[in-house]
Amino acid sequence: MTEISLYSPFPANEVPSWDFEADVAVIGFGAAGACAAIEAADAGAQVMLFKRNSGSGGASALSGGEIYIGGGTDVQIAAGFEDTPEELAAYLKAAGGPCENTGNKRGHGPDRSTGIKKGQSC
């Protein structure tokens, strides 16, 4: 039998028995993990969540939980704010500084309204 280590995975074929089974395993409970768990459960999956520490949040908690939802969403329009996807991109570029990753801006703007509406219902 393989020796148990805190630094390398234990071979699955050597696990004598499993205590739990799930359709979906979500690793981490930050913003992405929470959304993944909610969506999977809403779709009828049995979800198991794994978190290495006692609280939720992940990198989202480290950022203060701030999520910039802009680009001309229905929420902004209803609140009387004017914004465009181009203004959102300019803000993200300025906020990111010299290390700003332009590849991460895909999906920003009004096309994200489905995810935003899902978050509003939670």
Side-chain angles (χ1 to χ4, degrees):
M1 182 170 185
T2 303
E3 186 175 322
I4 295 176
S5 168
L6 297 176
Y7 307 104
S8 60
F10 192 79
N13 63 343
E14 293 190 32
V15 175
S17 66
W18 296 96
D19 295 328
F20 302 100
E21 289 187 18
D23 299 317
V24 175
V26 176
I27 312 301
F29 197 51
C35 290
I38 290 168
E39 288 295 320
D42 282 354
Q46 177 69 33
V47 179
M48 184 163 294
L49 181 65
F50 296 90
K51 182 73 178 171
R52 71 175 160 183
N53 53 2
S54 62
S56 62
S60 305
L62 293 175
S63 72
E66 180 180 310
I67 301 173
Y68 183 82
I69 300 175
T73 66
D74 58 346
V75 174
Q76 287 179 305
I77 294 166
F81 293 97
E82 293 182 22
D83 198 4
T84 67
E86 293 78 21
E87 289 172 333
L88 170 60
Y91 167 80
L92 293 173
K93 185 172 184 172
C99 298
E100 184 263 345
N101 182 348
T102 56
N104 284 344
K105 286 199 289 282
R106 284 185 306 234
H108 291 288
D111 291 345
R112 298 177 303 130
S113 60
T114 301
I116 294 167
K117 288 176 184 166
K118 180 69 176 178
Q120 291 169 349
S121 68
C122 294

